[in-house]
Amino acid sequence: MDHDVLPMPESTSMDTVTLRPFVLADLDAMMAWASDPVVTAFMTWGPYTSRDALLAFLRDTVLPHPWFRAVCLGGAVVGAVSVTPTDDRCRAELCVVLARAHWGKGVATAAPKRAVAAVFGDLDGVERVEALVDVDNAASQRALEKAGFTREAVLRSYCVVKGRLRDMVMYSFISTDPLVK
Amino acid sequence: MEVQAVQGGVPAAEPELAITLREFTLSDADAEAFMSWASDPRVVRFQRRPPLHRRPRPAAPLVPRHLRRRPPRGLHLRQARRAGPRGRRPPFMASVGYRVAREHWGRGVATRAVTAAADAVFAAWPWLRRLEAVADVENPASQRVLEKAGFVREGVLRQYIMLKGRPRDMVMFSIVDTDRGEHKQPVVETHGP
């Protein structure tokens, strides 16, 4: 896979974040964030405690998925971004997860920016990319807003996270929205 | 389920209609009633399916299987499961949709039916925490029905649902159990990591 390998700047710019499909060899990198309870605190899944379970997920869900990408920073895999079609042909759901060591550097903004720049061309019929963020997850909300997503609504009692029913903020990026540079 | 929702004390120019909700039956009468609105382009304007042209054949079930729970005035309730990239979530959510034959518009039928339906399902389904409904941004009548039925307007979801081949902006509404002063058992997750 080709990457631009650049010296790591102090603040990460969009240029150093790239997306590529996952391969089985990415398992260990995945384990770094998938096993981290702080990373998965707002997720409906995890934390993974078994490498075998994560391997099964990588092999059976990630590799055949229509749009699941590794987030790479200077060649290292630091997270994942997926866009999953829903029952409605026109809309797909975006999810972003990043290893904690790479929080606060702008990667969480760069990954969805890269995703929306590519996904409308890749997924036929999709006009809307939506993302659900826990009402208490201010950092992820800011990241999506900086990536050009529109905050549309708070959907109440919408997701079960770690055994609790949560209100979720709905964000969207539609195919005619301007890409943020 | 049978639900009576008779609204008294409302000034009306004509006798109040008793609104009852019941399941569809495989009867000619129900099929005729169903066809009366399902073939009316004004009724199905904001509905995904195009107008029906032919009554279902008598040899086949008179009402298609997925429509069996709709009462003849056209209210339907669906148990909705949300599926994310990591698998299905347990059911705690349902969505409601409704259609009313054209000749019964303008008399509060839909509002009373939707109110009765919300009451009925929150009583009948102990797992229900959220009942949601969407209305097209260009359908203010339907938005008013939901507001009068006690739904909370949450926001406009852009290009949310395909309607007759085009994505539409939809207004999302919901009633959650705490709106009704109810506090149910915590939702139990049934899936692993």
Side-chain angles (χ1 to χ4, degrees):
Chain A
M1 232 12 171
D2 285 337
H3 298 278
D4 292 335
V5 180
L6 300 172
M8 186 77 64
E10 284 206 26
S11 80
T12 301
S13 73
M14 172 96 167
D15 290 350
T16 62
V17 173
T18 57
L19 306 183
R20 65 154 171 81
F22 273 99
V23 294
L24 284 174
D26 294 326
L27 180 64
D28 287 332
M30 266 192 122
M31 201 62 187
W33 69 77
S35 62
D36 185 339
V38 175
V39 170
T40 63
F42 285 118
M43 302 297 180
T44 57
W45 54 269
Y48 279 80
T49 53
S50 151
R51 210 161 169 275
D52 286 343
L54 187 62
L55 176 61
F57 173 73
L58 175 55
R59 185 190 58 227
D60 302 334
T61 299
V62 175
L63 296 187
H65 191 281
W67 213 96
F68 212 120
R69 298 286 183 267
V71 179
C72 300
L73 188 60
V77 175
V78 301
V81 57
S82 59
V83 179
T84 304
T86 66
D87 293 337
D88 256 278
R89 208 166 51 85
C90 61
R91 84 177 182 268
E93 183 179 350
L94 173 134
C95 297
V96 180
V97 62
L98 285 183
R100 200 165 13 139
H102 300 284
W103 287 11
K105 299 178 183 176
V107 183
T109 297
K113 271 189 194 174
R114 288 277 188 216
V116 295
V119 76
F120 294 110
D122 292 344
L123 291 180
D124 196 38
V126 171
E127 296 296 326
R128 168 189 175 89
V129 171
E130 62 185 27
L132 294 166
V133 183
D134 195 286
V135 287
D136 289 343
N137 189 350
S140 291
Q141 291 171 33
R142 272 194 306 274
L144 286 178
E145 285 159 13
K146 287 192 275 187
F149 280 66
T150 298
R151 181 184 175 113
E152 291 176 330
V154 172
L155 304 183
R156 303 171 306 149
S157 299
Y158 205 68
C159 283
V160 174
V161 178
K162 304 298 186 282
R164 294 166 62 215
L165 195 51
R166 303 292 300 165
D167 295 350
M168 304 294 285
V169 186
M170 173 69 93
Y171 283 90
S172 73
F173 194 105
I174 65 174
S175 61
T176 51
D177 283 345
L179 295 173
V180 177
K181 295 286 174 280
Chain B
M1 75 190 73
E2 289 268 352
V3 173
Q4 291 279 353
V6 178
Q7 195 168 354
V10 176
E14 54 188 56
E16 273 295 309
L17 290 170
I19 302 295
T20 309
L21 302 186
R22 63 163 172 83
E23 296 198 13
F24 269 122
T25 63
L26 301 180
S27 69
D28 283 356
D30 275 7
E32 287 295 342
F34 179 77
M35 278 304 295
S36 78
W37 72 78
S39 59
D40 186 338
R42 296 165 301 180
V43 172
V44 305
R45 179 177 165 211
F46 290 110
Q47 179 182 294
R48 293 173 195 251
R49 284 185 194 84
L52 293 186
H53 298 297
R54 279 181 300 106
R55 187 188 134 144
R57 290 190 311 280
L62 288 175
V63 177
R65 180 173 299 276
H66 63 282
L67 298 172
R68 270 199 191 133
R69 294 194 177 277
R70 298 186 195 182
R73 288 185 188 275
L75 192 102
H76 82 261
L77 293 150
R78 251 188 313 122
Q79 231 189 83
R81 277 174 177 266
R82 290 186 56 254
R86 307 242 180 190
R88 293 189 175 272
R89 300 179 175 99
F92 54 84
M93 188 187 310
S95 65
V96 57
Y98 55 92
R99 291 111 191 87
V100 176
R102 185 66 184 87
E103 64 265 30
H104 297 293
W105 288 12
R107 291 190 289 185
V109 170
T111 300
R112 282 181 284 154
V114 171
T115 303
D119 289 342
V121 295
F122 272 105
W125 297 341
W127 48 263
L128 184 65
R129 306 293 295 276
R130 172 186 174 90
L131 180 65
E132 64 179 32
V134 290
D136 197 288
V137 289
E138 291 181 8
N139 192 350
S142 189
Q143 296 168 37
R144 276 194 302 275
V145 165
L146 293 169
E147 283 161 354
K148 287 191 282 187
F151 283 72
V152 172
R153 181 188 175 110
E154 291 178 330
V156 174
L157 307 185
R158 304 175 302 155
Q159 309 287 279
Y160 191 62
I161 284 182
M162 295 294 286
L163 177 70
K164 299 183 171 68
R166 291 171 51 229
R168 303 287 302 172
D169 294 355
M170 304 296 285
V171 188
M172 174 66 84
F173 291 85
S174 74
I175 296 176
V176 298
D177 58 343
T178 48
D179 291 342
R180 300 168 51 88
E182 298 165 16
H183 297 268
K184 299 209 171 162
Q185 296 283 354
V187 180
V188 176
E189 279 182 296
T190 57
H191 64 275

